[in-house]
Amino acid sequence: RDVEEPPAAKRPKADPAPSNQIPLGFFDYGDDDGSGEQAAATTEKEAGGGSALPEGFFDDKKKDADARGVEHITPEMEFEDFQKSIRKDLEVQEKQVEIEEEDAAVVREQELAFEQNQRLDTVSRLKQRQEELKARKADKTPNQAAPKKPKIKSATEEAVDSDEDSDEEELDDLLNDWRAKRI
């Protein structure tokens, strides 16, 4: 059947919402099929435990929790949970300390290796210097082996000879006492 719509002039006008009222459907969260009401009901059940009794309805906490369908937590249970969390925190902290100690040991080993290389370089330089001094001394000794007239040395020559002798003595002392931590 064909039904004609009434002309616009004959249609009843909807009453505009008064300015002090909230429009219809303002608080609807879902579609118009009522899913908003279902969501609100499930949220209510989750928050209240699905019971119509408010929290603290019974004086006994265990009965109150049982009536609302919530697990009753005793102080012993809370203490056990606290101890578990503390144990976990301590294990994490111990692992961090072990990692830091390992890193510190690696850094210390690197520092010792670097220091040892420096010491070995110093020893090799001193040995080279000792060989040079011995070579100089050997060059002078064949010349002195031939009979010469005693020569009067000047003050500067005596100072140079005494410096060479003191250098040799220091070098010998250092090489003989290789464990000493001096340069």
Side-chain angles (χ1 to χ4, degrees), residues 57-74:
F57 183 78
F58 293 105
D59 289 336
D60 185 15
K61 291 183 179 182
K62 186 175 181 179
K63 287 182 182 178
D64 186 46
D66 291 341
R68 289 184 294 119
V70 178
E71 182 182 348
H72 176 67
I73 300 174
T74 62

Side-chain angles (χ1 to χ4, degrees), residues 119-150:
R119 302 279 184 204
L120 290 173
D121 289 343
T122 304
V123 168
S124 65
R125 280 185 283 149
L126 290 174
K127 283 183 180 180
Q128 186 179 18
R129 186 172 172 196
Q130 182 182 23
E131 290 172 3
E132 289 173 2
L133 291 175
K134 285 181 180 179
R136 280 189 207 163
K137 195 173 188 181
D139 289 342
K140 289 182 182 181
T141 52
N143 294 340
Q144 292 177 357
K148 280 187 173 181
K149 295 181 183 177

Side-chain angles (χ1 to χ4, degrees), residues 11-179:
R11 265 191 247 154
K13 289 187 178 180
D15 291 338
S19 61
N20 61 356
Q21 290 184 347
I22 299 173
L24 294 173
F26 182 77
F27 292 106
D28 292 344
Y29 295 109
D31 298 335
D32 291 340
D33 62 354
S35 63
E37 293 173 11
Q38 290 173 353
T42 57
T43 308
E44 219 175 86
K45 285 182 183 177
E46 290 172 1
S51 175
L53 295 176
E55 185 177 348
F57 183 78
F58 293 105
D59 289 336
D60 185 15
K61 291 183 179 182
K62 186 175 181 179
K63 287 182 182 178
D64 186 46
D66 291 341
R68 289 184 294 119
V70 178
E71 182 182 348
H72 176 67
I73 300 174
T74 62
E76 291 83 20
M77 293 170 65
E78 285 184 29
F79 186 65
E80 288 174 10
D81 291 341
F82 173 73
Q83 286 179 332
K84 288 178 185 176
S85 67
I86 293 296
R87 272 188 237 119
K88 287 179 184 176
D89 290 344
L90 287 175
E91 288 173 1
V92 168
Q93 186 178 13
E94 287 174 359
K95 288 179 183 177
Q96 289 176 347
V97 167
E98 287 176 6
I99 290 170
E100 290 174 1
E101 287 176 350
E102 289 173 1
D103 292 344
V106 168
V107 168
R108 179 68 180 148
E109 287 294 324
Q110 290 174 347
E111 289 174 354
L112 289 175
F114 180 74
E115 186 177 336
Q116 184 177 7
N117 286 337
Q118 284 182 328
R119 302 279 184 204
L120 290 173
D121 289 343
T122 304
V123 168
S124 65
R125 280 185 283 149
L126 290 174
K127 283 183 180 180
Q128 186 179 18
R129 186 172 172 196
Q130 182 182 23
E131 290 172 3
E132 289 173 2
L133 291 175
K134 285 181 180 179
R136 280 189 207 163
K137 195 173 188 181
D139 289 342
K140 289 182 182 181
T141 52
N143 294 340
Q144 292 177 357
K148 280 187 173 181
K149 295 181 183 177
K151 182 179 175 183
I152 300 175
K153 295 183 180 180
S154 66
T156 56
E157 289 176 351
E158 288 179 13
V160 169
D161 286 343
S162 66
D163 285 343
E164 287 177 4
D165 291 339
S166 65
D167 286 344
E168 274 186 46
E169 289 173 9
E170 287 178 19
L171 183 62
D172 287 338
D173 288 343
L174 184 61
L175 290 176
N176 290 336
D177 191 16
W178 58 273
R179 289 184 219 148

